[in-house]
Amino acid sequence: MNITIRILLFLACVCCHNLPLAAQSGYRLWLDFKPLPTETAANYKQQLRALLFPVTSQTDSVARQELLTAVNGLLGECLKSVDTLQETGTLVIGTPATLPWLAGEAIAEHLRHVGDEGYGIHHTAIKGKPTTVILANTSSGILYGVYAFLGVLQRGEDISQLATTTQPKIALRLLNHWDNLDRTVERGYAGFSLWDWHRLPGYRDPRYTDYARANASIGINGTVLNNVNANALMLTAPYLEKAATLADIFRPYGIKVYLSARFSAPIELGSLADADPLNPEVQQWWNDKVAEIYRYIPDFGGFLVKANSEGQPGPQNYGRSHAEGANMLADALNPHGGVVMWRAFVYEDTEPEDRAKQAYNEFKPLDGQFRDNVIVQVKNGAIDFQPREPFHPLFGAMPGTPLMMEFQITQEYLGFATNLAYLGTLFSETLLADTYADGPHSTVARVIDGSLTGQKLTAMAGVANTGTAINWTGHPFAQANWFAYGKMAWDPDADAGTIAEDWLRRTFGNDASLIGTLLPMMMQSRETVVNYMTPLGLHHLMGWSHHYGPGPWIKDKQRADWTSVYYHQAGKDGIGFDRTASGSGALSQYAPEVQALFADPQTCPDEYLLWFHHLPWDFRMKSGETLWEALCGHYYGGVEEVADMQAVWEAQRGKVDSTVFQEVSDLLAIQHQEATLWRDACVLYFQQFSGMPIPDGLEQPEHPLEYYENLQFHFVPGI
Ligand code: BDP
């Protein structure tokens, strides 16, 4: 063993005896390795007597440190490091490079199925000795394997049965931070930006490392540091130097840095007359800028671009297409191996056709025109991260262009950081939706993982919900959304319930009754929010600009499609947006099988009814109720469900840490108030059109409609 390895081993063992006191704040996320019950720990100690883990890279060293610290926390004992396989109970961790002898073992066969980032975890006999093996082709794979193994221990699972071989289905698994350089976070509800630009590059906040650990532990391998509404300053030398420091900190955790690029930067920073992508001077400016970025960050991931959308500059300012704009940046990045993630969230700045149609109209004709290192980033739905949307019609419609998913983890439209809404169910609802692009089973997941169209470049982005809040995400349960996003970026077919249970166990421990009651609560929670905000396919009813609270009355703004009345179309004749052939025709952007599913209001699933149809108030639902009764049922039911959540949580008193218990309890009380506000405001507002009574047995809203319309909310976070 060489001297460096010995020193690292020594440091690792010293460190694992110096654990800081257990934080009760939620700061440690799902990586809080509290002691396991004595019997479980004793059992593991029998099977984990020694660690054989040669360290040859920074990433190995991180993995080893994580393992030792966690095992010490869970088992109360530091793993003994050895150089050779022991008789029983060795944990062997390595790659073909660090453990060449492994190549001769049957277990090495699994390496053929784990790619560059995957891993195998197996309990097997090696040279006749019962051994647990974590193997991978690279150090990144080892790091992911170690985190997965720690999850096994946290969940108290039997390690003698371990036989897992996995690799990510999506290559680029990114967070998008909508973080501004002044540290405000657009649509951020968990404090300020994690990036302390003023003190960077000099001060390396330890929190950057904890951020990287958390992401690596769920498979995230990239981060876009700055807001899509980008400030060109991000591309100047001082900020690149700061970003390079973050990249250095994140690198051992397998995380690459990317930046949002402002399309007009050549004008703002380079004093050029325009930013026309076909102007050679502009192209040269970007080539030089990209080369400069790579001098700071040699493994820079690439650019994210919001162009010609909501006032952002873009190629259309010069009569050029999105493809021409994206390709110019792609050509600059290509020699260095970088990619362009070009957002499809665009809509015309003139009076719109149905906004739901616009991204498709704009991008579909460009299919096949993008460079190989461009991937088009499409939001999960065609409007804008609503509590429920049908999947975006672009998925499956551009077989000649790599498409990636953009989810919003931050809860801009799902109750900010006061509402408990587990988004794993929202993510998987979209991912498992069938586009029928190539017959049945053409799910959105198969579009973005490349298996449907053969696209080589695959990626997923999640708009981050992290900030300086001590528990990172504001609401303790919002941590589950960060966690679920990472897991689904690794495997878009993953089961939302399995992920929620995993998170619960790793966060709150393995008490069966606690898991058994909190899991159904989490699984229902997003539907609950839909019920009291935008049931039956309604969408975009929230307060003006800040998007807090109900605002179905919002009208007469500078753009029709920034108002609520545009989306719900409520009048005496009924409610809902007709997107069938008799209306905007947006439904025709989907495959015929999808059209058939939604076209007939008699058979259209209730969840999407008013998304696709404008129906009279007395329309008969499948349940036999009138539409008005069903609408009221959802609004009132949603509030009752929040009360149920409160009762479920109250029953956990004494079973979870008291600080977190109280915080969730208080937040659920706020959620109940907010849900009631949504219910009363929306029911009263729509009642003026339906002219129908609130069904018998349901309590009347406390105030008249004008009261709700006149509520003002000042200094709402996230703008
Ligand atoms: C909207 C947000 C806005 C973002 C925009 C986007 O309200 O703050 O800039 O999405 O995705 O939902 O670009």
Side-chain angles (χ1 to χ4, degrees), residues 427-444:
F427 301 155
S428 73
E429 182 175 287
T430 308
L431 291 166
L432 301 184
D434 202 339
T435 68
Y436 289 91
D438 190 20
H441 313 299
S442 303
T443 59
V444 172

Side-chain angles (χ1 to χ4, degrees), residues 178 186-187 229 306 310 343 345 379 384 412-413:
W178 286 0
E186 182 154 340
R187 313 309 179 181
N229 296 318
K306 173 175 178 178
E310 300 185 327
R343 296 179 87 223
F345 178 67
K379 288 189 181 182
D384 198 356
E412 175 180 1
Y413 300 99

Side-chain angles (χ1 to χ4, degrees), residues 344 346-348 352-365 381-383 392-394 561 566-567 577-581 583-590 611-612:
V346 300
Y347 50 95
E348 286 166 34
E353 195 185 355
D354 177 1
R355 161 112 160 249
K357 292 170 72 176
Q358 294 186 21
Y360 180 102
N361 288 348
E362 195 75 59
F363 278 83
K364 168 87 178 147
I383 297 292
H392 201 300
L394 275 174
D561 61 350
Y566 170 86
Y567 290 103
F577 200 125
D578 183 0
R579 293 195 164 102
T580 66
S584 78
L587 184 56
S588 68
Q589 294 181 334
Y590 290 98
W611 186 282
F612 288 111

Side-chain angles (χ1 to χ4, degrees), residues 113-121 136 138 140-148 164-174 215-221 253-254 407 431 445 448-449 458-461 482-494 499:
H113 308 289
V114 301
D116 279 351
E117 291 182 297
Y119 55 84
I121 312 181
T138 64
S140 295
I142 289 296
L143 182 62
Y144 294 138
V146 163
Y147 280 123
T164 302
T165 302
T166 175
Q167 64 171 317
K169 291 185 186 159
I170 305 276
L172 310 180
R173 306 174 298 277
L174 297 113
N215 281 320
S217 76
I218 51 174
I220 287 172
N221 66 1
Y253 295 84
F407 283 125
L431 291 166
I448 61 163
D449 73 12
T458 57
M460 196 189 282
W482 182 8
F483 183 86
Y485 166 74
K487 295 283 173 185
M488 287 195 183
W490 182 281
D491 178 6
D493 294 304
I499 294 173

Side-chain angles (χ1 to χ4, degrees), residues 30-328:
W30 47 88
L31 299 174
D32 191 5
F33 299 102
K34 291 195 276 274
L36 288 166
T38 321
E39 203 183 321
T40 318
N43 202 359
Y44 283 148
K45 283 184 207 169
Q46 293 297 317
Q47 300 176 77
L48 299 172
R49 291 168 182 266
L51 174 66
L52 173 55
F53 184 177
V55 169
T56 57
S57 70
Q58 266 193 311
T59 302
D60 289 343
S61 145
V62 160
R64 187 188 168 84
Q65 177 68 66
E66 289 286 326
L67 180 83
L68 291 172
T69 307
V71 167
N72 191 50
L74 292 165
L75 309 188
E77 202 169 278
C78 199
L79 262 177
K80 180 177 70 154
S81 292
V82 293
D83 291 333
T84 52
L85 206 58
Q86 305 296 290
E87 276 313 311
T88 51
T90 312
L91 174 57
V92 175
I93 304 181
T95 63
T98 63
L99 294 172
W101 57 265
L102 209 65
E105 299 292 325
I107 189 86
E109 175 62 19
H110 295 284
L111 286 169
R112 286 153 44 115
H113 308 289
V114 301
D116 279 351
E117 291 182 297
Y119 55 84
I121 312 181
H122 295 265
H123 189 80
T124 185
I126 295 191
K127 303 188 200 315
K129 299 165 184 171
T131 308
T132 307
V133 184
I134 303 177
L135 76 180
N137 289 315
T138 64
S139 294
S140 295
I142 289 296
L143 182 62
Y144 294 138
V146 163
Y147 280 123
F149 180 68
L150 294 178
V152 168
L153 299 184
Q154 283 175 300
R155 294 189 298 273
E157 288 166 5
D158 181 0
I159 55 174
S160 69
Q161 302 300 318
L162 276 173
T164 302
T165 302
T166 175
Q167 64 171 317
K169 291 185 186 159
I170 305 276
L172 310 180
R173 306 174 298 277
L174 297 113
L175 286 184
N176 286 184
H177 289 275
W178 286 0
D179 293 21
N180 298 312
L181 301 184
D182 64 2
R183 291 194 81 179
T184 56
V185 180
E186 182 154 340
R187 313 309 179 181
Y189 311 104
F192 286 91
S193 169
L194 292 169
W195 323 136
D196 186 354
W197 295 115
H198 183 67
R199 293 199 285 175
L200 277 166
Y203 176 59
R204 300 159 74 102
D205 188 334
R207 199 158 186 174
Y208 303 145
T209 307
D210 288 334
Y211 166 85
R213 293 177 60 223
N215 281 320
S217 76
I218 51 174
I220 287 172
N221 66 1
T223 181
V224 184
L225 298 177
N226 59 320
N227 192 354
V228 286
N229 296 318
N231 188 326
L233 277 177
M234 188 68 236
L235 301 178
T236 59
Y239 281 94
L240 291 176
E241 199 185 339
K242 295 166 196 280
T245 299
L246 292 176
D248 290 344
I249 296 170
F250 300 160
R251 192 167 295 113
Y253 295 84
I255 296 169
K256 279 189 182 181
V257 156
Y258 299 70
L259 296 174
S260 291
R262 186 165 165 85
F263 200 79
S264 53
I267 304 172
E268 287 148 28
L269 304 181
S271 303
L272 297 190
D274 62 55
D276 182 347
L278 300 193
N279 175 349
E281 270 189 310
V282 172
Q283 294 167 353
Q284 191 56 47
W285 188 88
W286 281 110
N287 291 344
D288 293 345
K289 180 51 73 182
V290 167
E292 182 190 356
I293 296 174
Y294 278 91
R295 285 196 292 278
Y296 284 102
I297 309 173
D299 55 354
F300 177 63
F303 290 138
L304 170 64
V305 186
K306 173 175 178 178
N308 293 118
S309 168
E310 300 185 327
Q312 294 300 309
Q316 292 180 331
N317 298 22
Y318 309 98
R320 314 298 182 193
S321 73
H322 282 285
E324 286 168 317
N327 290 344
M328 172 197 58

